[in-house]
Amino acid sequence: MLRITMLTGAAFLMLAGSAAAAQPIEGDWLTLKGTTAHIAPCQTDKFCITLMDGQHAGKQIGVLKGMGGQYVGQVTDPDNDKTYDGSATVTGNALKLQGCVMKVFCKSQVWSRK
C-alpha cells in the first residue's frame, strides 16, 4: 500500500512540475517580419496580441484564451485585415501561431521571445 501511495505521489509531483514549467505566453515576441508583438492579459482570462512597432504599430491582431502553453482564439493578418480561427503553442522561447479557414486551410508562423 505504501508503494502505491509513493508512486501516486511521485506521478502527481511530475504532473504538477510539468504544468508549472509551461512557459507563459505573456511578453514581447519577434514576428517573422521583424516587428515586436506584445502579448498581455486583456478582458477576462484572455490574452491580446498588439503590434508595437512597424507599419501596423498599435494594432491588435489577436485574442487568445488558454493556459499551460496551449491557446486558442482568433488572429488577424494585419496586411489584409482578415481574421482567422487560431491557435498558439508556447515551447520554450518559441511561439507557434496557426490561423485556419474552415479548419482545413491553415498557415503557421513561429515567433521568438525577445
Side-chain angles (χ1 to χ4, degrees), residues 71-86:
Y71 303 86
V72 295
Q74 294 188 320
V75 292
T76 300
D77 181 340
D79 291 328
N80 63 18
D81 282 328
K82 290 186 179 179
T83 300
Y84 304 95
D85 290 330

Side-chain angles (χ1 to χ4, degrees), residues 34-80:
T35 59
T36 299
H38 181 72
I39 301 180
C42 66
Q43 304 172 17
T44 303
D45 71 355
K46 294 182 181 174
F47 299 92
C48 289
I49 307 170
T50 304
L51 295 176
M52 302 306 291
D53 53 20
Q55 178 182 357
H56 303 289
K59 187 171 195 169
Q60 183 176 308
I61 61 165
V63 177
L64 301 169
K65 183 177 181 176
M67 60 191 314
Q70 302 289 321
Y71 303 86
V72 295
Q74 294 188 320
V75 292
T76 300
D77 181 340
D79 291 328
N80 63 18

Side-chain angles (χ1 to χ4, degrees), residues 22-35:
Q23 295 291 320
I25 196 170
E26 297 175 55
D28 291 330
W29 298 88
L30 186 63
T31 70
L32 288 181
K33 291 189 175 185
T35 59

